Amino acid sequence: MRQWWRRWTYEVPLAIGDALWEVLVVQLAALLDRLTVRKVIAFIPIAIIVLAYYHRIPVPPELMLVGDFLAYIDIFSVLLLVGLLSRVTTILFVVRQAAARIARLAGSAVAPMQRLDMRHRRERGAPTKPRRKPDRSEDDRAYGGVWDQVAIA
């Protein structure tokens, strides 16, 4: 009899208290950690539908429309994000084109300035050593004497 009394006055209330602590504190804290605003908004239409089908509480049509809007808020947010992303990509494309044009303009403006510089008179590809005169060909050697005499006279 003493075991039975101890069990129902001591062990059973402790087990119930531990179970309540687990459910009402530990699991509730874990649920609140996972809970987001999006999940709360998604739950509101479900609560409105449950209230609407529970015939003892009348739900006005305006509240039903709010519930529908909240149900479709995910679709609205996706469309809004797609619209914003398309605008961002368009802006980035325009900025890239403008940067390329500015770089091309700066390059074309620097090139004439380098040509007008007096310190660099020669072109970059011009040879720095004087060219060798080519050897005279056989034709020039054969008639060279005649041309030399004409030039002297």
Side-chain angles (χ1 to χ4, degrees):
M1 181 74 167
R2 193 168 195 198
Q3 279 294 7
W4 180 83
W5 182 257
R6 178 181 164 89
R7 182 172 182 200
W8 284 102
T9 59
Y10 184 69
E11 293 175 5
V12 170
L14 285 177
I16 293 172
D18 288 343
L20 287 174
W21 177 265
E22 177 70 26
V23 170
L24 295 177
V25 176
V26 176
Q27 290 182 5
L28 183 63
L31 175 71
L32 291 176
D33 283 342
R34 291 189 314 257
L35 192 62
T36 61
V37 176
R38 183 173 180 243
K39 288 182 180 178
V40 170
I41 291 174
F43 182 72
I44 290 173
I46 295 171
I48 291 173
I49 290 172
V50 167
L51 289 175
Y53 285 112
Y54 191 65
H55 295 292
R56 294 184 188 166
I57 302 172
V59 177
E62 298 86 18
L63 195 58
M64 291 299 290
L65 290 175
V66 169
D68 289 341
F69 176 74
L70 291 175
Y72 293 120
I73 199 164
D74 288 338
I75 297 170
F76 293 137
S77 63
V78 166
L79 291 176
L80 180 69
L81 286 175
V82 167
L84 289 175
L85 287 176
S86 67
R87 287 183 185 160
V88 168
T89 55
T90 304
I91 290 170
L92 285 176
F93 177 73
V94 169
V95 167
R96 282 184 190 156
Q97 277 191 334
R101 286 182 183 174
I102 289 171
R104 201 174 331 130
L105 179 66
S108 65
V110 169
M113 288 182 196
Q114 288 177 347
R115 286 188 209 128
L116 294 177
D117 191 6
M118 294 300 171
R119 293 178 291 173
H120 307 289
R121 293 184 187 171
R122 296 184 184 187
E123 293 181 15
R124 290 185 179 173
T128 55
K129 296 180 182 179
R131 292 184 183 177
R132 278 184 48 204
K133 293 183 181 178
D135 292 336
R136 292 169 45 176
S137 66
E138 293 179 17
D139 294 334
D140 291 339
R141 285 187 216 138
Y143 299 106
V146 175
W147 294 111
D148 289 337
Q149 290 174 1
V150 172
I152 295 172

